[in-house]
C-alpha cells in the first residue's frame, strides 16, 4: 500500500456531485445581456456597429458574384449593395418588433443564388447587346420571381401552417438542422481565407487570442475583449492589409491575388454615390416567368427551413426559452414580407436569418434585442450615405471569411447543445443523429460536385425550372439533414422513444401560454397581442 503523508497516498474517492453530469438548461446560462436586458447605450451602439460590420460580408459577397454576371458595372454593384443594406435594415426591425422578436439580423441568403444564376442564363436575355440593358432586364426578372416566391413564406407563416410542422419538432430533430445551419457553410470559411493567407490566417489567430485567451489573462480588459475583440481584430488586420497594399506588396501579383488581398480592389468606393436613397421599382417594372417563380419558391422554402434552424440558435444565444411554434410561424410570415420587399426594391437576392450574426451573439455573449435594432439603424444609415458605407464594405474577403470560421462554428455548436435533452446512450438516437448529419453533408456534396464538373445539376430534364427546384433543395446541407432527422424521428418508435428524443423537455413550450417566460421574451409590443394572439 502507498505510504502516508500528502504525497504518495491513493487519490481520494470522488464526491458524489462530481460524478453527476451537467444539468440540462432550457435557457443558456452565463449570457451577459439576455434578449430583454439592453447594455448601456454607448456599449449597445458599439455592439450594434459590430453586428453591422459582420453582416456586411454576405451583403457584399453575393452582389459581387452576381452583378457582373448580370452585365452590371461597379456603379450597379454599389447600388445593389446599398439596396440590400436598406432592405436588411427594414427587415431586421420588422423581425425584432413584429416577428419572432429575437435579436436576429435578416440579411442576404446564399440559397437564392442558384435560381438567380438560372435567371441570368435564361435564353431570352442572351441576345441583348447592351450590358446595362441586360442587367436591368435580368434584375426585373429576379424581382418578379422573388415577389411570387415571397407568398410561400407569407402563407405558411401567417396561416399558422408552419406552427403545425414546428409543433412535432423535438430536440433530436432540431440538433442536425441547427448544427448544419452553421457547420454546413464550411466552404465559405477557410477556402476563402486561403485565397490571401497572409491576411486571413493572422485574422483567425488574432481573433482567437483576443476573445478566448487574453480575457483570462488581462482582467482589467476582460469585458472589453470579450465583447469588442472582433472589431479590434478586424481593425488591426485591415490596417495591416492596407499597409501591404500601399507598400506595393501586390504590385506584380496575379490579378486574382490582387482582388483578394488588396484593400482598394472592390470597386465599391468609386462606384458608390455620396447620398442616394434606394426605392421600390428603381430598376423598372418587374417581369414574371412561371418556371423561374417556381424555382425561386423552392429556394424560399429551403431558406424557410434554414432560418428555422438559425432562429433556434439565436433563441439559445439570447438566453431565451425555446421558440413557441406560433411565434416561429409569425416570424416566418414576416420573413416572407422581407422577401417581398427584396422583390419590390430589387436586391437580386432573397432574405434569411444571418448565420454569422447569430454566431456573434455567442462570441460576445450579448443577446440583447436593442443591440440588433441599433445595428439595423446602422444598415439604413449607411445605405443612404453610400460612400461611407462602401468604405466598410471594401474590407477584403479573406478577413470576412476568417470571421466566418469562428461565427459559423458557434451556430453549429448551438445545434449540438440541443443534444443535452436527448438520450445519447440510445441506439435509436445514435442512428438518427449520425445518419441525418452524414446525409446532410453527403447529398449536397454529390450535387455540388456534379454541378461543378458538368455545369448543370444531376437532375437535367427539359423542364429547366423542375431541375432548379430539385437541385436547389438537395444542395442545402441544413435542409437535407433537417428533413432526414425530422422524418426518421417522427416515424421510428415515435411514442415509445418520447424521452429519448427529448420531446418531453419541450412540452411546456409547445403553446405560448403554457410557460410564463414566453410572454416576457416573445410578446408583441404596444399590446398588439390583443389583435394578433399567439397560441
Amino acid at each position: 500500500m502507498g505510504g502516508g503523508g500528502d504525497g504518495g497516498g491513493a487519490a481520494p474517492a470522488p464526491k458524489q456531485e462530481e460524478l453527476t453530469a451537467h444539468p440540462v438548461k432550457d435557457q443558456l446560462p452565463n449570457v451577459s445581456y439576455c434578449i430583454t436586458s439592453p447594455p448601456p447605450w454607448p456599449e449597445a451602439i458599439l455592439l450594434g456597429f459590430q453586428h453591422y460590420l459582420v453582416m456586411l460580408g454576405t451583403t457584399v459577397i453575393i452582389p459581387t458574384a452576381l452583378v457582373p454576371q448580370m452585365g452590371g458595372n461597379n456603379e450597379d454593384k454599389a447600388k445593389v449593395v446599398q439596396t440590400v443594406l436598406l432592405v436588411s435594415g427594414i427587415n431586421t426591425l420588422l423581425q425584432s418588433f413584429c416577428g419572432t422578436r429575437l435579436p436576429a439580423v435578416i440579411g442576404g441568403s446564399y440559397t437564392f443564388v442558384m435560381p438567380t444564376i438560372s435567371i441570368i442564363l435564361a435564353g431570352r436575355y442572351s441576345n441583348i447587346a447592351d450590358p446595362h440593358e441586360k442587367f436591368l432586364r435580368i434584375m426585373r426578372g429576379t424581382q418578379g420571381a422573388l415577389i411570387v416566391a415571397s407568398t410561400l413564406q407569407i402563407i405558411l407563416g401567417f396561416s399558422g401552417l408552419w406552427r403545425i410542422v414546428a409543433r412535432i419538432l423535438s430536440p433530436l430533430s432540431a440538433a442536425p438542422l441547427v448544427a448544419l445551419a452553421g457547420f454546413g457553410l464550411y466552404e465559405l470559411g477557410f477556402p476563402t481565407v486561403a485565397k490571401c493567407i497572409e491576411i486571413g490566417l493572422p485574422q483567425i489567430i488574432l481573433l482567437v487570442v483576443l476573445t478566448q485567451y487574453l480575457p483570462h489573462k488581462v482582467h482589467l480588459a476582460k469585458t472589453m475583449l470579450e465583447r469588442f475583440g472582433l472589431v479590434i481584430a478586424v481593425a488591426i488586420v485591415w490596417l495591416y492589409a492596407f499597409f501591404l497594399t500601399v507598400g506595393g506588396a501586390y504590385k506584380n501579383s496575379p490579378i486574382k491575388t490582387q482582388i483578394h488581398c488588396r484593400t482598394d480592389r472592390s470597386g465599391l468606393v468609386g462606384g458608390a454615390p455620396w447620398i442616394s436613397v434606394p426605392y421600390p421599382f428603381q430598376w423598372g417594372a418587374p417581369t414574371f416567368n412561371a418556371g423561374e417563380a417556381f424555382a425561386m419558391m423552392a429556394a424560399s422554402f429551403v431558406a424557410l427551413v434554414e432560418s428555422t434552424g438559425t432562429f433556434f440558435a439565436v433563441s439559445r444565444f439570447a438566453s431565451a426559452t425555446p421558440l413557441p411554434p406560433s411565434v416561429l410561424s409569425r416570424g416566418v410570415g414576416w420573413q416572407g414580407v422581407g422577401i417581398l420587399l427584396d422583390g419590390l426594391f430589387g436586391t437580386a437576392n432573397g432574405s434569411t436569418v444571418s448565420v454569422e450574426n447569430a454566431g456573434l451573439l455567442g462570441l460576445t455573449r450579448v443577446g440583447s434585442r436593442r443591440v440588433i435594432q441599433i445595428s439595423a439603424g446602422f444598415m439604413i444609415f449607411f445605405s443612404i450615405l453610400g460612400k461611407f458605407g462602401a468604405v466598410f464594405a471594401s474590407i477584403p474577403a479573406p478577413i470576412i471569411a476568417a470571421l466566418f470560421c469562428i461565427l459559423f462554428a458557434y451556430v453549429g455548436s448551438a445545434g449540438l447543445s440541443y443534444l443535452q435533452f436527448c438520450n445519447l446512450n440510445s441506439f435509436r438516437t445514435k442512428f438518427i443523429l449520425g445518419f441525418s448529419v452524414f446525409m446532410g453533408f453527403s447529398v449536397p456534396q454529390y450535387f455540388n460536385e456534379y454541378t461543378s464538373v458538368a455545369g448543370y445539376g444531376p437532375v437535367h430534364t427539359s423542364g429547366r425550372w423542375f431541375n432548379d427546384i430539385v437541385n436547389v433543395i438537395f444542395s442545402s446541407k441544413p435542409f437535407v439533414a433537417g428533413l432526414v432527422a425530422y422524418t426518421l424521428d417522427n416515424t421510428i418508435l415515435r411514442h415509445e422513444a418520447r424521452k429519448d428524443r427529448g420531446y418531453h423537455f419541450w412540452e411546456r413550450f409547445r403553446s405560448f401560454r403554457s410557460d410564463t417566460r414566453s410572454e416576457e421574451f416573445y410578446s408583441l409590443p404596444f399590446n398588439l397581442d390583443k389583435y394578433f394572439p399567439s397560441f
Side-chain angles (χ1 to χ4, degrees), residues 372-457:
I372 297 303
Q373 289 164 346
I374 291 169
S375 85
F378 276 116
M379 292 171 214
I380 295 168
F381 177 74
F382 282 119
S383 73
I384 294 165
L385 291 174
K387 279 269 192 277
F388 294 104
V391 170
F392 295 112
S394 60
I395 296 173
I399 293 183
I400 301 291
L403 306 183
F404 286 172
C405 290
I406 288 158
L407 301 176
F408 292 160
Y410 263 105
V411 175
S413 71
L416 299 181
S417 74
Y418 284 117
L419 295 173
Q420 65 182 308
F421 302 109
C422 310
N423 176 9
L424 288 173
N425 292 321
S426 145
F427 277 101
R428 177 188 180 276
T429 305
K430 288 181 188 302
F431 166 67
I432 293 173
L433 176 65
F435 185 62
S436 59
V437 170
F438 184 86
M439 294 307 277
F441 281 118
S442 196
V443 174
Q445 175 66 17
Y446 163 68
F447 271 76
N448 295 338
E449 239 175 52
Y450 191 103
T451 308
S452 66
V453 173
Y456 48 81

Side-chain angles (χ1 to χ4, degrees), residues 205-456:
I205 295 166
L206 189 61
L207 188 53
V208 172
V209 170
L210 284 180
T211 58
Q212 307 301 324
Y213 286 96
L214 273 185
H216 308 296
K217 299 279 182 262
V218 188
H219 291 291
L220 284 173
K222 183 176 192 300
T223 317
M224 186 187 80
L225 289 169
E226 276 179 352
R227 289 189 200 149
F228 307 113
L230 182 134
V231 80
I232 296 168
V234 168
I236 293 170
V237 177
W238 193 17
L239 194 66
Y240 159 64
F242 173 73
F243 284 134
L244 284 180
T245 305
V246 175
Y250 304 114
K251 248 191 193 132
N252 306 317
S253 303
I255 291 294
K256 257 191 173 162
T257 310
Q258 295 202 23
I259 289 170
H260 292 298
C261 298
R262 290 180 71 107
T263 52
D264 56 1
R265 271 284 180 268
S266 70
L268 288 171
V269 181
W274 281 102
I275 292 181
S276 89
V277 182
Y279 54 93
F281 308 122
Q282 55 186 347
W283 313 105
T287 57
F288 297 90
N289 174 291
E292 287 165 6
F294 278 122
M296 205 60 101
M297 239 175 204
S300 177
F301 184 63
V302 171
L304 153 61
V305 174
E306 291 177 353
S307 55
T308 298
T310 318
F311 273 136
F312 273 101
V314 171
S315 70
R316 191 87 193 137
F317 286 135
S319 193
T321 49
L323 267 170
S326 59
V327 173
L328 174 64
S329 202
R330 186 174 76 197
V332 163
W334 280 104
Q335 196 170 273
V337 172
I339 295 173
L340 177 63
L341 290 175
D342 287 324
L344 296 176
F345 278 84
T347 59
N349 190 247
S351 293
T352 186
V353 185
S354 162
V355 179
E356 52 271 37
N357 289 87
L360 186 57
L361 298 174
L363 181 70
T364 57
R365 300 185 199 178
V366 177
S368 161
R369 190 186 292 140
R370 180 181 290 169
V371 167
I372 297 303
Q373 289 164 346
I374 291 169
S375 85
F378 276 116
M379 292 171 214
I380 295 168
F381 177 74
F382 282 119
S383 73
I384 294 165
L385 291 174
K387 279 269 192 277
F388 294 104
V391 170
F392 295 112
S394 60
I395 296 173
I399 293 183
I400 301 291
L403 306 183
F404 286 172
C405 290
I406 288 158
L407 301 176
F408 292 160
Y410 263 105
V411 175
S413 71
L416 299 181
S417 74
Y418 284 117
L419 295 173
Q420 65 182 308
F421 302 109
C422 310
N423 176 9
L424 288 173
N425 292 321
S426 145
F427 277 101
R428 177 188 180 276
T429 305
K430 288 181 188 302
F431 166 67
I432 293 173
L433 176 65
F435 185 62
S436 59
V437 170
F438 184 86
M439 294 307 277
F441 281 118
S442 196
V443 174
Q445 175 66 17
Y446 163 68
F447 271 76
N448 295 338
E449 239 175 52
Y450 191 103
T451 308
S452 66
V453 173
Y456 48 81

Side-chain angles (χ1 to χ4, degrees), residues 24-293:
V24 168
K25 305 271 191 191
D26 49 22
Q27 282 178 264
L28 184 66
N30 304 324
V31 170
S32 305
Y33 293 98
C34 77
I35 180 168
T36 50
S37 59
W41 277 104
E43 206 170 309
I45 289 168
L46 197 49
L47 283 162
F49 180 71
Q50 195 166 241
H51 272 278
Y52 159 72
L53 261 191
V54 163
M55 68 81 63
L56 270 179
T58 303
T59 304
V60 175
I61 288 168
I62 296 174
T64 301
L66 293 176
V67 172
Q69 291 185 57
M70 293 161 74
N73 55 23
N74 278 348
E75 280 80 17
D76 296 324
K77 184 167 77 175
K79 196 172 173 185
V80 172
V81 169
Q82 277 181 271
T83 308
V84 175
L85 265 181
L86 178 72
V87 176
S88 297
I90 296 170
N91 287 342
T92 302
L93 288 176
L94 286 175
Q95 191 62 247
S96 72
F97 280 111
C98 313
T100 54
R101 309 227 57 216
L102 284 169
V105 169
I106 309 294
S109 165
Y110 296 99
T111 311
F112 292 89
V113 170
M114 198 185 288
T116 306
I117 287 176
S118 180
I119 293 174
I120 291 170
L121 300 175
R124 63 181 184 282
Y125 302 120
S126 55
N127 52 7
I128 302 172
D130 177 28
H132 188 66
E133 180 59 28
K134 185 178 179 180
F135 166 75
L136 290 175
R137 295 275 285 279
I138 292 174
M139 178 61 91
R140 289 174 209 155
T142 62
Q143 285 181 261
L146 282 166
I147 289 169
V148 176
S150 70
T151 55
L152 179 88
Q153 290 197 21
I154 291 173
I155 292 167
L156 282 177
F158 289 136
S159 67
L161 284 170
W162 197 246
R163 185 178 77 221
I164 299 164
V165 174
R167 203 153 262 172
I168 53 173
L169 189 72
S170 73
L172 178 55
S173 44
L177 168 65
V178 183
L180 266 70
F183 295 143
L185 295 167
Y186 62 87
E187 290 163 6
L188 301 169
F190 201 80
T192 309
V193 169
K195 286 177 179 170
C196 188
I197 199 80
E198 62 267 36
I199 61 174
L201 195 57
Q203 181 68 69
I204 295 181
I205 295 166
L206 189 61
L207 188 53
V208 172
V209 170
L210 284 180
T211 58
Q212 307 301 324
Y213 286 96
L214 273 185
H216 308 296
K217 299 279 182 262
V218 188
H219 291 291
L220 284 173
K222 183 176 192 300
T223 317
M224 186 187 80
L225 289 169
E226 276 179 352
R227 289 189 200 149
F228 307 113
L230 182 134
V231 80
I232 296 168
V234 168
I236 293 170
V237 177
W238 193 17
L239 194 66
Y240 159 64
F242 173 73
F243 284 134
L244 284 180
T245 305
V246 175
Y250 304 114
K251 248 191 193 132
N252 306 317
S253 303
I255 291 294
K256 257 191 173 162
T257 310
Q258 295 202 23
I259 289 170
H260 292 298
C261 298
R262 290 180 71 107
T263 52
D264 56 1
R265 271 284 180 268
S266 70
L268 288 171
V269 181
W274 281 102
I275 292 181
S276 89
V277 182
Y279 54 93
F281 308 122
Q282 55 186 347
W283 313 105
T287 57
F288 297 90
N289 174 291
E292 287 165 6

Side-chain angles (χ1 to χ4, degrees), residues 167 324-327 330 508-524 529 533-535:
R167 203 153 262 172
S326 59
V327 173
R330 186 174 76 197
R508 64 181 184 282
F509 306 114
R510 303 240 166 256
S511 73
F512 186 76
R513 301 267 171 249
S514 52
D515 190 287
T516 50
R517 292 170 293 178
S518 297
E519 186 85 30
E520 179 196 345
F521 298 136
Y522 301 115
S523 61
L524 291 168
D529 282 308
S534 299
F535 303 106

